[in-house]
Amino acid sequence: MSKIEEIASAVERGKAKLVPGLVEEALDEGADPVEILNKGMIDAMSVVGEKFKNNEIFVPEMLVAARAMKKGVEVLKPSLGGSSDISIGKAVIGTVQGDLHDIGKNLVCLMIESAGFEVQDLGVDVPAEKFVESAADPDVKIVGVSALLTTTMPAMKATVEALNQAPNRENFKVMVGGAPITQEFADEIGADAYTPDAATAASVAKAFVVG
Amino acid sequence: MKYTRPAFGDPNIKTFYKSSPFRAGGFDVPIVNDRPIPIRENFKRAAECRSPLWVPNSATDFNFAMLYQVSGMPEADWTAKERYYYKDWWGVDWMFVPEAGGPMLKPNTQFLDDITEWEEKVVFPDIDAYDFEGKCKEWLKTCDPDKIYHVNIGQGCTERLVALRGGYTDAMVDMALEPEAVRAFLDAFADWVIRVIDKVTKYIPVDYMTYHDDWGTERDTFFSEAMMEDMVFEPTKRIFDHMHEKGITVQLHSCGKIERFLPYMIDMGVNTLQIQARANDFRAYKEKYGDKLALEVMMMPDPSWGKEQVLSYIREVVDTYGKGGGLVSSFMHGDPEILWDGTMELYYYSREKYEEERN
């Protein structure tokens, strides 16, 4: 097994204590940092995402895998020569006003970050204006809007409507998700995409940006 | 139709005022008079999937209390119109969010930042410092002794872990990375819950308890079976066993799609399940586990429906989920006439249905 395969395996298994050392070893052996990132980590997280989508692993396993990747990226970052080299774009993600649920939003943040985005986590209970303000950043390619409650679906609608009025609307895609959200609802409120889980959110976001 | 439904406003039928801890105001619910067996006996039959005589309706058959009502512990005012913060009896910060219809963990706060330090940092609420006796007696005065005493004891194992750790994310990482600490905490938590149960049952002859532990997302369980077996099922079963020892029927409330845990729930001694209709296939569960596990199916008619549509819906729910017992329900409605007729329909139609089954 190559060092990069070892890294991928450790990321998949959520071995946060092992990954930084393995990354260091790979760098010492002369491995290409971009390859370590892409094959050792981003691809590994895609495998994790697929397994989650297929109900082969559960939320805790996905969380620890993402954390393991984060630890590896910390070691790798200086060798990548600046964040612009490793980011495929910026994503701002939050849970709508009136809704304080964060687990779905956190999973999407982790998976989108693991897919190569720079993520700005707006947190929970986020007013529509805050989403719009954050989306004004020209580097933002994805705006992720989450809601878990049926009672906060109107807040999601208001948020997406506000984003759709933004003068730089063509610069970013609006993605929505959360337990009560459906494709039909996403279409009705004018979102660009609905995804049913965090892994799909990451692959759809990536497809929007890199095609 | 074997039984004539008493007409709306029939002077021979009295009503009683039913309020809920979750909303302001209440409803005048008609009293069903002709019960061939005690409400308590019928409820047991329904919850144990043994042919009852009617479908228990919590609006007419239960006295219901949340734990705070019988303990005096701090709790949110669910009727509040503005957001506000409060601490629960563990010292955890919450925010009541009226637009969400309930309390949520106060964002960016974390009571316990490392689960391995729970023994030093978590002080279990001193239940002796609360006036259970006074509160229980006060509540009993509002009860009809012929009805079920139903107490919702609130947060279960994983929910308390989540509350202490400031949300699901860190709690789930703990379960993956610090299973020993989680296991030890949940064991101690179960001991504490058992003491709470003892305290409540000292003053109230509780028939039915609801234990609250959310185990799933919209699409599956949060955790694997192995993780739950390792840390959660065992302390949970101890709590349920204790309830059973006290003669209490056990209800598990669990949000999310929890299908993969159903066999474990049966093994743990759950009698009735209060789960999300949106995330679960009730019909399939009834088909597969209907002789072992009762379902609570709330009557939730579309608010736009007229009376006949509501009555037809009630009959459909009874037909679909009532077979052989195993159905506990509840019917409330803002329109007094629909509330009256629906209450009568649920009672008399289910009586006719079960008589038909027995013959």
Side-chain angles (χ1 to χ4, degrees), chain A residues 14 16-17 52-55 58-61 63-64 67 97-103 106 110 124-125 148-152 178-180 196-197, chain B residues 83 95 97 99-101 104-107 166-170 172-173 175-178 217-225 227 260-261 276 278:
Chain A
K17 286 182 184 159
F52 178 72
K53 215 157 66 178
N54 298 329
N55 300 335
F58 295 81
V59 181
E61 290 83 0
L63 287 171
V64 294
R67 286 193 173 201
Q97 188 158 36
D99 201 327
L100 275 66
H101 290 90
D102 65 357
I103 182 66
N106 288 352
L110 286 170
V124 298
D125 196 23
L148 186 109
L149 302 167
T150 49
T151 49
T152 51
D197 59 74
Chain B
R83 290 183 175 199
M95 176 159 81
V97 188
E99 59 267 48
M104 298 189 187
L105 286 170
K106 185 179 172 185
Y168 271 95
T169 305
D170 283 340
M172 289 201 273
V173 171
M175 291 176 75
L177 302 179
E178 301 289 352
T217 69
E218 198 73 3
R219 49 192 288 277
D220 205 341
T221 55
F222 282 127
F223 326 99
S224 66
E225 293 95 330
M227 196 173 260
R260 71 171 67 235
F261 292 158
Q276 271 180 293
R278 193 179 65 201

Side-chain angles (χ1 to χ4, degrees), chain A residues 54-128:
Chain A
N54 298 329
N55 300 335
E56 290 167 43
I57 60 165
F58 295 81
V59 181
E61 290 83 0
M62 194 151 112
L63 287 171
V64 294
R67 286 193 173 201
M69 171 169 169
K70 248 186 170 172
K71 292 280 179 198
V73 171
E74 280 168 21
V75 176
L76 198 59
K77 246 182 183 172
S79 309
L80 287 161
S83 63
S84 59
D85 287 355
I86 58 167
S87 171
I88 59 170
K90 194 169 178 183
V92 292
I93 300 169
T95 306
V96 297
Q97 188 158 36
D99 201 327
L100 275 66
H101 290 90
D102 65 357
I103 182 66
K105 183 264 300 169
N106 288 352
L107 286 172
V108 171
C109 283
L110 286 170
M111 289 307 291
I112 285 193
E113 191 172 19
S114 305
F117 284 89
E118 181 192 343
V119 170
Q120 185 188 353
D121 182 353
L122 300 179
V124 298
D125 196 23
V126 181

Side-chain angles (χ1 to χ4, degrees), chain B residues 59-72:
Chain B
T60 55
D61 295 10
F62 293 9
N63 303 293
F64 174 72
M66 295 293 289
L67 183 59
Y68 77 87
Q69 293 171 276
V70 295
S71 67

Side-chain angles (χ1 to χ4, degrees), chain A:
Chain A
M1 191 187 274
S2 74
K3 196 57 76 184
I4 287 177
E5 284 168 340
E6 276 184 59
I7 293 168
S9 166
V11 168
E12 279 181 44
R13 289 178 293 126
K15 301 291 181 190
K17 286 182 184 159
L18 286 182
V19 172
L22 289 169
V23 172
E24 271 172 17
E25 285 171 31
L27 289 170
D28 289 346
E29 287 172 15
D32 176 5
V34 174
E35 200 182 344
I36 296 174
L37 179 72
N38 288 335
K39 294 197 171 152
M41 298 192 212
I42 293 177
D43 286 358
M45 282 307 294
S46 296
V47 172
V48 169
E50 273 306 302
K51 284 184 177 172
F52 178 72
K53 215 157 66 178
N54 298 329
N55 300 335
E56 290 167 43
I57 60 165
F58 295 81
V59 181
E61 290 83 0
M62 194 151 112
L63 287 171
V64 294
R67 286 193 173 201
M69 171 169 169
K70 248 186 170 172
K71 292 280 179 198
V73 171
E74 280 168 21
V75 176
L76 198 59
K77 246 182 183 172
S79 309
L80 287 161
S83 63
S84 59
D85 287 355
I86 58 167
S87 171
I88 59 170
K90 194 169 178 183
V92 292
I93 300 169
T95 306
V96 297
Q97 188 158 36
D99 201 327
L100 275 66
H101 290 90
D102 65 357
I103 182 66
K105 183 264 300 169
N106 288 352
L107 286 172
V108 171
C109 283
L110 286 170
M111 289 307 291
I112 285 193
E113 191 172 19
S114 305
F117 284 89
E118 181 192 343
V119 170
Q120 185 188 353
D121 182 353
L122 300 179
V124 298
D125 196 23
V126 181
E129 308 81 64
K130 178 74 182 166
F131 277 100
V132 174
E133 187 190 312
S134 305
D137 179 342
D139 293 336
V140 170
K141 305 287 180 221
I142 300 291
V143 179
V145 186
S146 169
L148 186 109
L149 302 167
T150 49
T151 49
T152 51
M153 287 167 72
M156 175 177 273
K157 182 172 187 274
T159 302
V160 174
E161 279 171 1
L163 285 164
N164 286 345
Q165 299 297 317
N168 63 330
R169 178 63 176 88
E170 70 280 4
N171 288 359
F172 59 83
K173 298 287 186 187
V174 177
M175 296 176 59
V176 296
I181 310 304
T182 59
Q183 182 65 57
E184 195 185 8
F185 181 72
D187 293 341
E188 187 189 313
I189 64 175
D192 295 308
Y194 155 76
T195 53
D197 59 74
T200 311
S203 52
V204 168
K206 200 169 178 178
F208 273 139
V209 175
V210 297

Side-chain angles (χ1 to χ4, degrees), chain B residues 32-259:
Chain B
V32 177
N33 288 325
D34 54 340
R35 311 271 195 180
I37 60 171
I39 287 174
R40 195 161 272 114
E41 185 187 331
N42 183 70
F43 168 73
K44 272 271 176 200
R45 288 195 194 190
E48 291 170 5
C49 308
R50 296 182 285 117
S51 185
L53 271 66
W54 67 90
V55 171
N57 174 1
S58 69
T60 55
D61 295 10
F62 293 9
N63 303 293
F64 174 72
M66 295 293 289
L67 183 59
Y68 77 87
Q69 293 171 276
V70 295
S71 67
M73 66 184 251
E75 176 56 87
D77 171 8
W78 288 66
T79 63
K81 300 274 181 276
E82 302 288 332
R83 290 183 175 199
Y84 69 94
Y85 300 110
Y86 69 99
K87 276 188 196 298
D88 69 15
W89 57 349
W90 294 72
V92 172
D93 290 298
W94 295 82
M95 176 159 81
F96 184 79
V97 188
E99 59 267 48
M104 298 189 187
L105 286 170
K106 185 179 172 185
N108 308 315
T109 61
Q110 189 172 47
F111 182 87
L112 180 65
D113 58 9
D114 182 345
I115 187 62
T116 63
E117 294 174 357
W118 72 268
E119 278 174 294
E120 298 95 79
K121 294 188 176 168
V122 175
V123 179
F124 283 63
D126 175 9
I127 56 176
D128 293 329
Y130 290 85
D131 183 19
F132 277 79
E133 182 176 5
K135 289 289 176 186
C136 288
K137 285 181 176 167
E138 200 179 296
W139 179 69
L140 279 170
K141 281 185 203 156
T142 68
C143 295
D144 177 342
D146 291 334
K147 295 182 182 178
I148 301 302
Y149 292 110
H150 178 201
V151 178
N152 185 326
I153 60 162
Q155 285 190 319
C157 287
T158 63
E159 287 191 7
R160 181 43 65 185
L161 176 69
V162 167
L164 291 170
R165 293 288 281 123
Y168 271 95
T169 305
D170 283 340
M172 289 201 273
V173 171
D174 289 342
M175 291 176 75
L177 302 179
E178 301 289 352
E180 277 179 32
V182 171
R183 204 179 300 121
F185 169 70
L186 296 186
D187 278 343
F189 177 75
D191 291 339
W192 179 83
V193 173
I194 284 168
R195 289 188 55 229
V196 171
I197 293 166
D198 287 343
K199 200 78 171 173
V200 174
T201 53
K202 186 174 174 187
Y203 305 110
I204 299 170
V206 179
D207 298 288
Y208 192 29
M209 266 188 174
T210 299
Y211 172 91
H212 223 276
D213 219 18
D214 291 343
W215 289 343
T217 69
E218 198 73 3
R219 49 192 288 277
D220 205 341
T221 55
F222 282 127
F223 326 99
S224 66
E225 293 95 330
M227 196 173 260
M228 293 293 278
E229 278 185 275
D230 186 34
M231 280 166 268
V232 181
F233 288 152
E234 202 178 301
T236 305
K237 184 174 187 307
R238 279 205 295 122
I239 293 169
F240 294 167
D241 284 348
H242 193 71
M243 290 182 190
H244 283 303
E245 280 163 22
K246 301 257 172 196
I248 295 169
T249 299
V250 176
Q251 178 174 66
L252 171 64
H253 165 107
S254 195
C255 282
K257 188 173 191 297
I258 44 66
E259 184 175 4

